[in-house]
Amino acid sequence: MKRTTLCTTILLVLLFTASIALAQNIPIEKANYKLAERFSPNKLKKMAFTASVDPHWLKLSERFWYTYETPDGKTFYIVNPARRTKKPIFDNVKMAAELTLLTKDPYDAKHLPIEKIKFVKDETAIQFEVESSQEEKEEEEKEKKEEEKKEKEEEKKEDEKKEKNDKEKKKPKKKIFTFEYDLATGKLTLLEDFKKPKEKPRWASISPDGETILFSKHFNIYWMDKENYEKALEDEEDSTIVEHQLTTDGIEHYGYGGRTRGETNVDKEKNKDKRKSIRVVWSRDSKKFATIRDDNREVKNLWVINAIAEPRPSLETYKYHMPGESEAPQYDILIFDLTTQDTVWVKADQFQDQSVSIISARPLAKNRDDENRPSLWLAETSDKLYFTRTSRDLHRIDVCVADVSTGEVKVLIEERLNTYVETRRLGLVNNGRELIHWSERDGWAHFYLYDADGNLKSQITSGPFHCNNIEGIDEERRVLYFTANAHEKDEDPYYLHLYRVNFNGSGLQRLESINFNHSVRMCDSNRFFVDNYSRVDTVPKSELRDNRGNKILDLETADLSLLMEAGYRFPEPFKVKADDGLTDLYGVMYKPYDFDATRKYPIIAYVYPGPQTESVSKSFSTRMDRTDRLAQFGFIVITVGNRGGHPSRSKWYHNYGYGNLRDYGLVDKKATIEQLADRNPFIDIEKVGIFGHSGGGFMSTAAMLVYPDFFKVAVSSAGNHENNIYNRWWSEKHHGVREVVDKEGNIKFEYDIEKNSEIAENLKGRLLICTGDIDNNVHPGNTIRLANALIKANKRFDFFIFPGQRHGFGNMNEYFFWLRADYFCKHLIGDYADSVDIPELNREQEMSGDKSR
């Protein structure tokens, strides 16, 4: 009897304690900070290594090389597709021993600091660099870079303090050894007298033949020859350098190159006489080039202030065109002939406030290791230039060709829609005798074959699937290689595949495996491709295949053993219906690795509204901060698409939110969470969080204001909450701008959009808004205006500024992770860290030795 009474008493005490805990909001469950700390970015680097093969195709054959790292170290491979062979370029053990003998620095097979591999001597040998433990000798440093001394002399007085601090922090330079390794004999040679080529400066645009170097100076185009360029590589201030001025009419905001975006006003003044870059597209014979000249004189200024700049806060002034403003930038296409020194203006004008884009050729895979990779115009000859022009409302796009000698323009293809039109790079067959054009004119993205005059010959692909990019064109066999999605049945329609099809539309063939997301890299002959594939719930693999889809070699399988030993678990893909009950939506659920199905978990949605993308991973990734890692505190984290999101579905799906940019995707997020809670009893539908960055910051706050009784907690970072002050290009495109023509034919553009501040009074839950104070993409004014509206509505909320940070928060991202986690733990779990220190972050810094943050 006494025992029964004692048990009853204990039970009553436990129930009473639990009731008090619930009444006082004392947590029964604890936020798992330790598990989240285990998967920090620094730790992940030591658990998960290479996950895909990145091929470097060679020039003289169809061979390629790549590196692949596992817990056993990094291996360097050479692959010969024709012979179906893959082998290490060298034996790591022997290489480590020889490097040690030649440099007197100790190396082992797992720790080979080999960098900058380059194939030489007709691809029979490689050159590479190894960093020594020894510091450069003083005389070597002077020999290498004498201009460093001159830079110190030119420093302005206001920068002296900063320069002194930088020099104190600067680590001594390590000596770099250059080696040559013979592939046939295995002989390693230290190139003791090797003179390392100088790195290409950012200002240099080098012609394909390497003889002419273009740059911008004082907003005009200048050029120098190869001999003088080599002088500039040795000493940029060499007084004997001969420069030639090509234009004289360039001025600030209507010049040629010399963009200063991201520079403070002080830096602009300091750098005004320096060489700057200019974006050009070269003809393949190096005799001509084309450029787009921007006229931003009427575009209004915007400003950000860096309060932590040294020695005093700095102002940055830049041009920024906001939606609906009449002061739009204007664009001209100019073609320059270096032989005759003639300039031709392309007669491209058609639409008011139009934009133009020169169509460039696809870069050759075999050139990726070249120091100079000039942008080439699409035509193989220098007599014609292909370009597009787009109306401001984006309802009209013309694909055009210009006569290079006269500037006369011929319209080849017209695209027209009542929402925005998009295009992809044009495919040229036999230098323009035929054209392969990408279009969404029938509601799906497909390829169309045109003749040289712009007459439609045939539609190459058709049906309810989305063609993505041209990967190769076989002119002789009249075969198109391209990527596409949503063609295969019974798989996630976002999974990308490589296909081949004949120009007449016959012979459509998928070239790799189904039910995976693929990323492919073809060689220039289109005979072989490297296929990297995975899903969010599979180990990444890599294969080599031929252009008929036959597997040549298994290349790699990622080694995730250390990650799995640490407790990692794959996330779970899911499918739900949109709020209309008809449209399929695809998402991913991330659970805590110590998941307990008997518990109730708060659910958090990580969102990005698009419409240029959806932040829903389709392949395995170790970028976990916004999903996997956050879940470890004790949350279910999801990502899911929404109508109006990803462009790689039907045009209807992509443009669903046109004209309703604030609210269009919110109801689908809500419907998804409701369906998941119905299916899974471990989801607590009363504790719903949401967060996102940039467009996701805008969307997560909108969710709190449009559905205030459903979404309870949000963290919104760098959000474009006021799209009327965000940039025109995104806002006018995805929401729409109305072109109005009066009786006299005058055109103006009308723009109106719903803003988060307009419904600030609806806030009921907990909201943290953040911004970087020098964000020159989504201006801090977006967040500050929202804060102003919330204050006026007498709402409690949290506001955080990241000092000296732009749109991505830079080296404060890890701090933001813990700030965001604390916020969700506090308001969704009820258990959170409130100490002044962030010990998890401090431990990481101590481990890495990084005290700079």
Side-chain angles (χ1 to χ4, degrees):
M1 185 69 181
K2 289 181 179 179
R3 185 175 179 181
T4 304
T5 303
L6 179 60
C7 291
T8 303
T9 303
I10 292 172
L11 180 60
L12 289 172
V13 169
L14 290 173
L15 290 172
F16 180 70
T17 303
S19 65
I20 292 176
L22 289 171
Q24 296 181 357
N25 199 27
I26 299 172
I28 297 174
E29 301 292 348
K30 293 286 186 180
N32 196 340
Y33 278 66
K34 290 294 184 183
L35 193 52
E37 182 185 8
R38 192 185 301 172
F39 295 91
S40 70
N42 276 344
K43 289 185 172 70
L44 283 170
K45 291 175 185 176
K46 302 159 192 172
M47 294 188 284
F49 300 92
T50 311
S52 63
V53 169
D54 184 17
H56 298 246
W57 298 94
L58 301 185
K59 293 179 182 293
L60 304 180
S61 68
E62 291 171 323
R63 297 179 300 161
F64 65 91
W65 69 271
Y66 70 94
T67 63
Y68 209 85
E69 190 171 14
T70 72
D72 292 323
K74 184 184 293 184
T75 305
F76 302 76
Y77 292 103
I78 182 77
V79 178
N80 189 328
R83 295 184 178 179
R84 297 173 175 261
T85 60
K86 163 198 156 185
K87 61 182 181 179
I89 297 178
F90 47 77
D91 182 297
N92 281 24
V93 174
K94 291 182 179 179
M95 178 63 74
E98 291 195 58
L99 289 175
T100 300
L101 285 169
L102 290 170
T103 67
K104 311 306 179 191
D105 280 330
Y107 299 101
D108 69 19
K110 279 192 176 184
H111 304 91
L112 291 178
I114 291 175
E115 300 290 343
K116 298 187 178 178
I117 290 179
K118 183 179 181 181
F119 276 70
V120 295
K121 295 185 175 180
D122 292 332
E123 300 174 356
T124 63
I126 59 170
Q127 282 181 3
F128 60 85
E129 294 180 358
V130 171
E131 183 180 280
S132 170
S133 65
Q134 305 301 305
E135 296 174 11
E136 282 188 339
K137 294 179 182 178
E138 190 175 337
E139 58 267 23
E140 288 176 325
E141 221 170 319
K142 285 181 182 177
E143 211 172 282
K144 265 182 88 178
K145 207 150 188 172
E146 197 172 304
E147 60 263 29
E148 284 184 6
K149 183 176 68 176
K150 294 185 178 182
E151 281 182 351
K152 295 174 189 174
E153 297 169 359
E154 293 169 1
E155 285 294 332
K156 301 272 186 177
K157 285 185 179 181
E158 61 265 26
D159 290 330
E160 285 178 358
K161 181 179 177 182
K162 182 177 182 295
E163 177 69 17
K164 183 179 177 182
N165 292 337
D166 289 344
K167 283 167 66 179
E168 288 174 356
K169 293 177 184 176
K170 192 176 180 181
K171 294 179 180 179
K173 289 185 178 179
K174 299 293 184 181
K175 182 167 182 159
I176 301 295
F177 293 107
T178 302
F179 292 89
E180 188 172 290
Y181 178 80
D182 188 281
L183 297 177
T185 66
K187 181 181 179 182
L188 182 68
T189 305
L190 173 60
L191 305 179
E192 298 196 38
D193 298 324
F194 182 77
K195 188 174 181 182
K196 181 181 175 182
K198 302 290 184 180
E199 290 189 6
K200 175 177 170 286
R202 296 182 66 180
W203 52 262
S205 176
I206 307 174
S207 62
D209 63 9
E211 297 297 323
T212 305
I213 293 82
L214 298 176
F215 56 95
S216 173
K217 196 171 183 181
H218 303 141
F219 309 108
N220 278 292
I221 302 176
Y222 285 71
W223 68 275
M224 64 176 68
D225 60 22
K226 185 177 181 180
E227 179 183 350
N228 284 280
Y229 176 61
E230 289 173 352
K231 289 183 184 179
L233 290 176
E234 293 296 326
D235 180 4
E236 290 213 24
E237 304 302 322
D238 186 338
S239 60
T240 67
I241 294 174
V242 178
E243 300 177 341
H244 306 274
Q245 187 169 352
L246 195 58
T247 66
T248 57
D249 59 338
I251 58 175
E252 186 174 14
H253 305 310
Y254 187 35
Y256 304 88
R259 290 175 174 83
T260 57
R261 184 76 177 269
E263 282 188 322
T264 66
N265 294 3
V266 171
D267 287 336
K268 283 181 190 176
E269 180 64 25
K270 183 177 73 174
N271 298 327
K272 66 180 181 180
D273 296 326
K274 292 184 178 180
R275 302 182 187 99
K276 296 181 174 65
S277 63
I278 179 171
R279 295 177 182 173
V280 303
V281 183
W282 288 92
S283 64
R284 303 188 190 207
D285 61 8
S286 299
K287 295 179 180 179
K288 297 172 184 175
F289 68 90
T291 188
I292 296 175
R293 186 183 184 190
D294 305 355
D295 185 353
N296 287 290
R297 288 173 293 179
E298 299 301 317
V299 178
K300 294 179 180 178
N301 289 335
L302 197 57
W303 305 266
V304 290
I305 297 176
N306 188 347
I308 63 171
E310 294 290 352
R312 60 184 299 166
S314 60
L315 176 69
E316 178 184 328
T317 305
Y318 56 98
K319 295 290 186 178
Y320 194 91
H321 189 212
M322 293 180 182
E325 291 182 335
S326 59
E327 301 86 357
Q330 307 297 313
Y331 303 95
D332 302 312
I333 300 177
L334 291 89
I335 302 169
F336 294 86
D337 189 319
L338 289 170
T339 304
T340 64
Q341 301 287 296
D342 290 335
T343 304
V344 173
W345 291 66
V346 175
K347 300 170 185 177
D349 289 348
Q350 177 64 29
F351 313 118
Q352 182 163 315
D353 296 349
Q354 69 180 20
S355 57
V356 294
S357 177
I358 298 170
I359 305 175
S360 60
R362 292 179 68 245
L364 293 175
K366 67 183 180 182
N367 291 341
R368 68 165 290 184
D369 290 333
D370 292 353
E371 292 179 11
N372 180 38
R373 290 180 299 246
S375 178
L376 303 176
W377 68 41
L378 186 61
E380 295 175 7
T381 53
S382 59
D383 59 335
K384 52 191 174 184
L385 182 76
Y386 292 91
F387 70 95
T388 60
R389 63 184 176 205
T390 306
S391 62
R392 177 165 173 177
D393 62 7
L394 281 89
H395 292 183
R396 295 155 288 174
I397 292 183
D398 292 340
V399 179
C400 307
V401 61
D403 185 309
V404 168
S405 60
T406 65
E408 294 293 333
V409 169
K410 180 178 182 179
V411 178
L412 298 173
I413 304 168
E414 292 185 348
E415 290 287 347
R416 302 292 188 266
L417 278 175
N418 294 329
T419 57
Y420 52 88
V421 183
E422 295 183 293
T423 62
R424 301 288 171 90
R425 179 184 275 125
L426 191 68
L428 234 59
V429 182
N430 294 319
N431 195 33
R433 292 179 185 172
E434 291 178 303
L435 314 170
I436 298 178
H437 173 63
W438 182 97
S439 171
E440 294 180 293
R441 65 185 61 170
D442 72 355
W444 291 90
H446 287 295
F447 293 107
Y448 297 78
L449 185 66
Y450 283 81
D451 68 17
D453 295 320
N455 299 306
L456 178 63
K457 296 181 72 173
S458 64
Q459 184 170 347
I460 300 175
T461 61
S462 62
F465 67 99
H466 179 275
C467 295
N468 197 44
N469 287 322
I470 294 174
E471 297 296 330
I473 297 174
D474 186 335
E475 296 178 344
E476 183 180 346
R477 294 173 179 82
R478 298 183 66 76
V479 174
L480 171 67
Y481 297 92
F482 65 97
T483 51
N485 61 281
H487 181 268
E488 307 305 316
K489 305 302 180 186
D490 302 319
E491 74 166 22
D492 187 321
Y494 292 96
Y495 289 168
L496 202 65
H497 293 283
L498 178 67
Y499 295 86
R500 61 176 288 155
V501 67
N502 298 320
F503 285 4
N504 64 9
S506 66
L508 179 66
Q509 179 189 359
R510 176 178 43 79
L511 299 177
E512 18 74 338
S513 55
I514 60 170
N515 207 26
F516 290 98
N517 193 40
H518 295 260
S519 174
V520 300
R521 300 284 294 276
M522 291 197 83
C523 65
D524 294 325
S525 69
N526 303 316
R527 288 186 63 202
F528 304 100
F529 67 94
V530 171
D531 175 26
N532 295 295
Y533 63 96
S534 72
R535 300 190 302 263
V536 294
D537 57 348
T538 66
V539 176
K541 295 185 178 182
S542 306
E543 298 174 344
L544 175 67
R545 290 177 177 261
D546 67 18
N547 60 11
R548 288 287 180 177
N550 301 306
K551 184 162 69 171
I552 305 298
L553 287 171
D554 287 309
L555 294 176
E556 303 291 345
T557 299
D559 188 333
L560 305 183
S561 57
L562 295 180
L563 192 62
M564 294 301 183
E565 288 172 12
Y568 175 80
R569 299 292 180 268
F570 287 120
E572 301 171 10
F574 64 82
K575 181 170 74 171
V576 294
K577 289 293 185 181
D579 188 65
D580 62 4
L582 299 172
T583 308
D584 289 330
L585 302 179
Y586 297 82
V588 181
M589 179 184 294
Y590 301 84
K591 295 178 178 177
Y593 300 148
D594 60 353
F595 175 74
D596 179 355
T598 65
R599 280 183 55 180
K600 280 279 191 179
Y601 291 91
I603 184 169
I604 300 173
Y606 166 55
V607 298
Y608 188 82
Q612 72 275 29
T613 186
E614 290 170 349
S615 287
V616 183
S617 295
K618 297 299 171 184
S619 298
F620 172 83
S621 173
T622 56
R623 298 183 66 182
M624 299 181 176
D625 278 9
R626 291 173 175 170
T627 49
D628 311 63
R629 193 176 173 206
L630 182 63
Q632 304 321 308
F633 291 93
F635 303 113
I636 301 298
V637 177
I638 66 161
T639 59
V640 67
N642 53 264
R643 289 168 295 168
H646 207 290
S648 293
R649 291 182 68 169
S650 68
K651 188 65 172 172
W652 172 87
Y653 181 90
H654 187 204
N655 288 173
Y656 176 79
Y658 191 71
N660 182 23
L661 200 57
R662 185 185 66 195
D663 302 340
Y664 71 93
L666 301 178
V667 69
D668 284 350
K669 306 298 185 188
K670 178 175 175 288
T672 295
I673 294 170
E674 289 170 337
Q675 289 173 68
L676 292 177
D678 289 341
R679 296 178 191 175
N680 303 292
F682 54 80
I683 291 176
D684 189 344
I685 195 67
E686 297 302 320
K687 294 183 177 180
V688 180
I690 187 169
F691 77 102
H693 186 81
S694 192
F698 157 60
M699 188 182 204
S700 52
T701 291
M704 294 287 289
L705 304 177
V706 175
Y707 296 104
D709 293 312
F710 185 80
F711 294 98
K712 304 298 174 58
V713 186
V715 178
S716 304
S717 50
N720 43 305
H721 303 286
E722 311 291 288
N723 275 303
N724 60 313
I725 64 167
Y726 185 41
N727 76 68
R728 153 199 164 184
W729 307 106
W730 187 83
S731 196
E732 285 190 1
K733 175 178 180 177
H734 295 297
H735 182 73
V737 64
R738 185 164 171 255
E739 183 179 301
V740 180
V741 184
D742 63 19
K743 294 180 180 178
E744 286 74 36
N746 300 310
I747 297 173
K748 66 177 181 177
F749 295 92
E750 296 180 350
Y751 176 87
D752 186 41
I753 191 170
E754 296 84 1
K755 301 176 281 291
N756 281 343
S757 61
E758 295 171 338
I759 52 175
E761 63 184 16
N762 292 348
L763 182 67
K764 291 184 178 181
R766 296 294 182 174
L767 174 64
L768 168 61
I769 52 177
C770 313
T771 183
D773 66 346
I774 58 168
D775 187 341
N776 57 8
N777 177 9
V778 178
H779 193 271
N782 283 268
T783 302
I784 293 170
R785 289 186 180 204
L786 175 61
N788 181 57
L790 290 166
I791 292 168
K792 287 183 176 181
N794 298 323
K795 300 293 180 178
R796 287 190 175 95
F797 66 101
D798 295 279
F799 186 14
F800 198 93
I801 291 179
F802 288 91
Q805 298 303 317
R806 297 204 186 273
H807 193 54
F809 299 169
N811 61 4
M812 294 185 181
N813 250 318
E814 185 68 357
Y815 183 94
F816 179 45
F817 171 79
W818 292 101
L819 177 73
R820 181 173 62 224
D822 282 343
Y823 203 78
F824 283 126
C825 288
K826 178 179 181 179
H827 295 297
L828 289 178
I829 296 178
D831 175 52
Y832 66 102
D834 61 354
S835 63
V836 172
D837 281 330
I838 304 177
E840 297 85 3
L841 194 52
N842 289 339
R843 283 192 287 268
E844 283 293 303
Q845 288 182 339
E846 289 165 4
M847 192 165 61
S848 67
D850 180 11
K851 298 291 185 183
S852 62
R853 282 192 267 185

